[in-house]
């Protein structure tokens, strides 16, 4: 039996083995379960060129088991099956969709007037608004990290320190990819406001390394809900030093009991000359952001802008109805931060930085306890820059999604 067969069988059988032994263990261990089944259909024509809209149906199924072994030790295992309908030649065969999404042990105990915890194993990380590090819940697979995280909390302060291995040595190169993070925050006791400060370092032993320093503040002051983030990225890559920044500011205000108006701007710095020895593009691809929450639901603006960076001013209106009915409409106006300069033989030059306008709409409804249904869509109308590149056709995208959790 191959190693992969053995791993998959272990992941499938492990919950059954735990259940078998649960009765005698339950006398000293509290065991609980959680789970989710999510099905989403997506259809898109993102190419700005004539083609048929292609629909895919995704399903993500998660089953988690938590064991409170003692007052100081917790264990958690979460198995996940992620699949695309019709991607298997037959459901009689296995395509190895089952994997370990999370599996960690945590020790936590008082330390003087503080609370300390150390978590070791595969785990999700989600900090702040998830603009820099997130679990990417929208993805059909999601993101987790292999490593260890220590946390200390005292009063309104929280201090995190983590070390994670992203890629192990590969046969063709004696190199690995390591990621270190410290993320610290303070919740103001007299206000619904939290301020956070972080530092991250990533080194892949192949000439790429970055240090990212930043701050994030979010909360509510009276009727205004705000979210702000600023980060700088320093480091090196082959042939260039890295000097880049990210800025975000958004504010929303209540209008009556059920409506909210908001506006904001996202600024991802770019570069119009990557050959001058300085790389000024804030490369979110080297971090672990949750892109679908920002820069438009279609998830195409960053890719279209590329190293030129992105300016994204937007406005939003949201309403709430009965039974947790929620709807929102957002309008993004995309510009590149720098001139878009690719060789003329590949892409015609353009005097414009206007990428286009995207209109996003979503509606969500709680149809039962812990069961929700969502509809959404986006339309991207190309701007002058895209038209000059020959991408002059409106792009569309839509989805329908059901989520049941326990």
């Amino acid at each position: 039996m191959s190693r992969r067969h053995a791993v998959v069988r272990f992941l499938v059988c492990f919950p059954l083995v735990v259940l078998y032994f649960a009765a005698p263990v339950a006398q000293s261990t509290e065991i609980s379960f959680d789970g989710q089944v999510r099905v989403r259909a997506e259809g898109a024509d993102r190419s700005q060129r004539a083609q048929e809209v292609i629909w895919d149906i995704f399903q993500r199924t998660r089953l988690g088991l938590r064991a409170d072994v003692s007052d100081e030790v917790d264990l958690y295992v979460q198995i996940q099956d992620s699949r695309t309908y019709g991607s298997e030649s037959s459901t009689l065969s296995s395509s190895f969709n089952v994997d370990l999404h999370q599996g960690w042990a945590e020790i936590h105990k008082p330390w003087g007037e503080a609370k300390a915890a150390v978590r070791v194993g595969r785990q999700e990380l989600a900090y702040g608004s998830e603009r820099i590090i997130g679990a990417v819940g929208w993805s059909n697979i999601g993101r987790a990290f292999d490593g260890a995280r220590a946390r200390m909390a005292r009063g309104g302060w929280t201090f995190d320190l983590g070390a994670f291995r992203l890629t192990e040595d590969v046969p063709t190169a004696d190199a690995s990819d390591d990621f270190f993070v410290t993320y610290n925050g303070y919740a103001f006791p007299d206000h619904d406001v939290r301020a956070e400060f972080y530092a991250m370092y990533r080194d892949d032993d192949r000439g790429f390394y970055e240090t990212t320093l930043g701050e994030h503040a979010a909360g509510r002051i009276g009727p205004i809900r705000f979210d702000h983030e600023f980060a700088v990225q320093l480091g090196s890559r082959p042939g260039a030093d890295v000097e880049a920044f990210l800025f975000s500011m958004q504010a929303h205000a209540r209008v009556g009991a059920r409506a909210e108006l908001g506006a904001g701007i996202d600024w991802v710095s770019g570069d119009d000359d990557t050959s001058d020895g300085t790389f000024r593009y804030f490369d979110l691809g080297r971090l672990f952001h949750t892109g679908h929450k920002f820069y438009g639901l279609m998830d195409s603006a960053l890719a279209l802008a590329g190293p030129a960076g992105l300016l994204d001013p937007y406005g939003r209106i949201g309403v709430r109805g009965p039974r947790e009915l929620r709807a929102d409409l957002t309008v993004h106006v995309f510009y590149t931060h720098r001139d878009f300069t690719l060789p003329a033989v590949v892409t015609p030059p353009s005097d414009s930085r206007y990428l286009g306008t995207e209109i996003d709409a979503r509606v969500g409804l709680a149809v039962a306890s812990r069961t929700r249904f969502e509809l959404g869509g986006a339309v991207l109308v190309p701007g002058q820059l895209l038209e000059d590149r020959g991408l002059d056709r409106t792009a569309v995208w839509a989805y329908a999604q059901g989520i049941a959790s326990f």
Side-chain angles (χ1 to χ4, degrees), residues 327-339:
D328 61 77
L329 180 72
T330 306
V331 178
H332 298 263
V333 184
F334 298 127
Y335 299 86
T336 60
H337 174 214
R338 301 290 187 182
D339 291 331

PDB file of all heavy atoms in Angstrom, residues 327-339:
ATOM      1  N   ALA A 327     -28.229  42.248   2.551  1.00  0.00           N
ATOM      2  CA  ALA A 327     -27.903  42.534   1.156  1.00  0.00           C
ATOM      3  C   ALA A 327     -26.943  43.715   1.114  1.00  0.00           C
ATOM      4  O   ALA A 327     -27.025  44.626   1.947  1.00  0.00           O
ATOM      5  CB  ALA A 327     -29.169  42.846   0.361  1.00  0.00           C
ATOM      6  N   ASP A 328     -26.025  43.678   0.178  1.00  0.00           N
ATOM      7  CA  ASP A 328     -25.117  44.817   0.029  1.00  0.00           C
ATOM      8  C   ASP A 328     -24.717  44.986  -1.425  1.00  0.00           C
ATOM      9  O   ASP A 328     -24.716  44.032  -2.214  1.00  0.00           O
ATOM     10  CB  ASP A 328     -23.869  44.663   0.909  1.00  0.00           C
ATOM     11  CG  ASP A 328     -23.046  43.434   0.570  1.00  0.00           C
ATOM     12  OD1 ASP A 328     -22.327  43.481  -0.447  1.00  0.00           O
ATOM     13  OD2 ASP A 328     -23.111  42.445   1.313  1.00  0.00           O
ATOM     14  N   LEU A 329     -24.408  46.232  -1.765  1.00  0.00           N
ATOM     15  CA  LEU A 329     -23.989  46.608  -3.098  1.00  0.00           C
ATOM     16  C   LEU A 329     -22.726  47.459  -2.969  1.00  0.00           C
ATOM     17  O   LEU A 329     -22.703  48.428  -2.213  1.00  0.00           O
ATOM     18  CB  LEU A 329     -25.083  47.397  -3.816  1.00  0.00           C
ATOM     19  CG  LEU A 329     -24.778  47.857  -5.243  1.00  0.00           C
ATOM     20  CD1 LEU A 329     -24.789  46.665  -6.194  1.00  0.00           C
ATOM     21  CD2 LEU A 329     -25.789  48.901  -5.698  1.00  0.00           C
ATOM     22  N   THR A 330     -21.667  47.077  -3.679  1.00  0.00           N
ATOM     23  CA  THR A 330     -20.387  47.783  -3.605  1.00  0.00           C
ATOM     24  C   THR A 330     -19.927  48.137  -5.015  1.00  0.00           C
ATOM     25  O   THR A 330     -20.024  47.315  -5.932  1.00  0.00           O
ATOM     26  CB  THR A 330     -19.310  46.915  -2.918  1.00  0.00           C
ATOM     27  OG1 THR A 330     -19.792  46.472  -1.652  1.00  0.00           O
ATOM     28  CG2 THR A 330     -18.025  47.707  -2.716  1.00  0.00           C
ATOM     29  N   VAL A 331     -19.414  49.347  -5.158  1.00  0.00           N
ATOM     30  CA  VAL A 331     -18.894  49.815  -6.445  1.00  0.00           C
ATOM     31  C   VAL A 331     -17.413  50.147  -6.262  1.00  0.00           C
ATOM     32  O   VAL A 331     -17.057  51.001  -5.437  1.00  0.00           O
ATOM     33  CB  VAL A 331     -19.652  51.044  -6.968  1.00  0.00           C
ATOM     34  CG1 VAL A 331     -19.053  51.520  -8.291  1.00  0.00           C
ATOM     35  CG2 VAL A 331     -21.135  50.721  -7.136  1.00  0.00           C
ATOM     36  N   HIS A 332     -16.550  49.445  -7.002  1.00  0.00           N
ATOM     37  CA  HIS A 332     -15.107  49.675  -6.978  1.00  0.00           C
ATOM     38  C   HIS A 332     -14.694  50.388  -8.265  1.00  0.00           C
ATOM     39  O   HIS A 332     -15.168  50.041  -9.356  1.00  0.00           O
ATOM     40  CB  HIS A 332     -14.338  48.359  -6.904  1.00  0.00           C
ATOM     41  CG  HIS A 332     -14.596  47.550  -5.669  1.00  0.00           C
ATOM     42  ND1 HIS A 332     -13.775  47.589  -4.569  1.00  0.00           N
ATOM     43  CD2 HIS A 332     -15.594  46.675  -5.366  1.00  0.00           C
ATOM     44  CE1 HIS A 332     -14.241  46.771  -3.640  1.00  0.00           C
ATOM     45  NE2 HIS A 332     -15.349  46.207  -4.097  1.00  0.00           N
ATOM     46  N   VAL A 333     -13.771  51.344  -8.138  1.00  0.00           N
ATOM     47  CA  VAL A 333     -13.187  52.006  -9.303  1.00  0.00           C
ATOM     48  C   VAL A 333     -11.683  51.757  -9.242  1.00  0.00           C
ATOM     49  O   VAL A 333     -10.988  52.285  -8.374  1.00  0.00           O
ATOM     50  CB  VAL A 333     -13.486  53.514  -9.319  1.00  0.00           C
ATOM     51  CG1 VAL A 333     -12.943  54.149 -10.592  1.00  0.00           C
ATOM     52  CG2 VAL A 333     -14.989  53.755  -9.204  1.00  0.00           C
ATOM     53  N   PHE A 334     -11.181  50.913 -10.145  1.00  0.00           N
ATOM     54  CA  PHE A 334      -9.801  50.439 -10.074  1.00  0.00           C
ATOM     55  C   PHE A 334      -8.860  51.281 -10.939  1.00  0.00           C
ATOM     56  O   PHE A 334      -9.159  51.548 -12.116  1.00  0.00           O
ATOM     57  CB  PHE A 334      -9.710  48.981 -10.556  1.00  0.00           C
ATOM     58  CG  PHE A 334     -10.501  48.010  -9.728  1.00  0.00           C
ATOM     59  CD1 PHE A 334     -11.417  47.153 -10.331  1.00  0.00           C
ATOM     60  CD2 PHE A 334     -10.338  47.930  -8.357  1.00  0.00           C
ATOM     61  CE1 PHE A 334     -12.141  46.241  -9.589  1.00  0.00           C
ATOM     62  CE2 PHE A 334     -11.063  47.023  -7.592  1.00  0.00           C
ATOM     63  CZ  PHE A 334     -11.968  46.183  -8.214  1.00  0.00           C
ATOM     64  N   TYR A 335      -7.731  51.649 -10.338  1.00  0.00           N
ATOM     65  CA  TYR A 335      -6.635  52.302 -11.045  1.00  0.00           C
ATOM     66  C   TYR A 335      -5.339  51.584 -10.681  1.00  0.00           C
ATOM     67  O   TYR A 335      -5.213  51.026  -9.585  1.00  0.00           O
ATOM     68  CB  TYR A 335      -6.494  53.775 -10.649  1.00  0.00           C
ATOM     69  CG  TYR A 335      -7.684  54.637 -10.951  1.00  0.00           C
ATOM     70  CD1 TYR A 335      -8.742  54.743 -10.046  1.00  0.00           C
ATOM     71  CD2 TYR A 335      -7.756  55.369 -12.133  1.00  0.00           C
ATOM     72  CE1 TYR A 335      -9.835  55.545 -10.313  1.00  0.00           C
ATOM     73  CE2 TYR A 335      -8.847  56.178 -12.408  1.00  0.00           C
ATOM     74  CZ  TYR A 335      -9.886  56.260 -11.487  1.00  0.00           C
ATOM     75  OH  TYR A 335     -10.964  57.059 -11.756  1.00  0.00           O
ATOM     76  N   THR A 336      -4.369  51.617 -11.570  1.00  0.00           N
ATOM     77  CA  THR A 336      -3.037  51.183 -11.181  1.00  0.00           C
ATOM     78  C   THR A 336      -2.334  52.335 -10.468  1.00  0.00           C
ATOM     79  O   THR A 336      -2.584  53.511 -10.768  1.00  0.00           O
ATOM     80  CB  THR A 336      -2.198  50.755 -12.399  1.00  0.00           C
ATOM     81  OG1 THR A 336      -2.066  51.860 -13.307  1.00  0.00           O
ATOM     82  CG2 THR A 336      -2.831  49.581 -13.110  1.00  0.00           C
ATOM     83  N   HIS A 337      -1.491  51.986  -9.495  1.00  0.00           N
ATOM     84  CA  HIS A 337      -0.739  53.017  -8.772  1.00  0.00           C
ATOM     85  C   HIS A 337       0.338  53.626  -9.662  1.00  0.00           C
ATOM     86  O   HIS A 337       0.566  54.842  -9.645  1.00  0.00           O
ATOM     87  CB  HIS A 337      -0.101  52.397  -7.512  1.00  0.00           C
ATOM     88  CG  HIS A 337       0.806  53.319  -6.783  1.00  0.00           C
ATOM     89  ND1 HIS A 337       1.938  52.894  -6.131  1.00  0.00           N
ATOM     90  CD2 HIS A 337       0.770  54.660  -6.600  1.00  0.00           C
ATOM     91  CE1 HIS A 337       2.548  53.927  -5.569  1.00  0.00           C
ATOM     92  NE2 HIS A 337       1.857  55.005  -5.840  1.00  0.00           N
ATOM     93  N   ARG A 338       1.007  52.820 -10.455  1.00  0.00           N
ATOM     94  CA  ARG A 338       2.055  53.296 -11.353  1.00  0.00           C
ATOM     95  C   ARG A 338       1.651  53.031 -12.808  1.00  0.00           C
ATOM     96  O   ARG A 338       0.682  52.332 -13.080  1.00  0.00           O
ATOM     97  CB  ARG A 338       3.374  52.566 -11.064  1.00  0.00           C
ATOM     98  CG  ARG A 338       3.879  52.753  -9.643  1.00  0.00           C
ATOM     99  CD  ARG A 338       4.362  54.157  -9.401  1.00  0.00           C
ATOM    100  NE  ARG A 338       4.993  54.289  -8.092  1.00  0.00           N
ATOM    101  CZ  ARG A 338       5.470  55.423  -7.609  1.00  0.00           C
ATOM    102  NH1 ARG A 338       5.386  56.534  -8.314  1.00  0.00           N
ATOM    103  NH2 ARG A 338       6.027  55.459  -6.407  1.00  0.00           N
ATOM    104  N   ASP A 339       2.416  53.606 -13.714  1.00  0.00           N
ATOM    105  CA  ASP A 339       2.174  53.334 -15.128  1.00  0.00           C
ATOM    106  C   ASP A 339       2.364  51.849 -15.411  1.00  0.00           C
ATOM    107  O   ASP A 339       3.279  51.217 -14.876  1.00  0.00           O
ATOM    108  CB  ASP A 339       3.135  54.149 -16.001  1.00  0.00           C
ATOM    109  CG  ASP A 339       2.830  55.638 -15.959  1.00  0.00           C
ATOM    110  OD1 ASP A 339       1.653  55.978 -15.753  1.00  0.00           O
ATOM    111  OD2 ASP A 339       3.767  56.438 -16.107  1.00  0.00           O
TER     112      ASP A 339
END
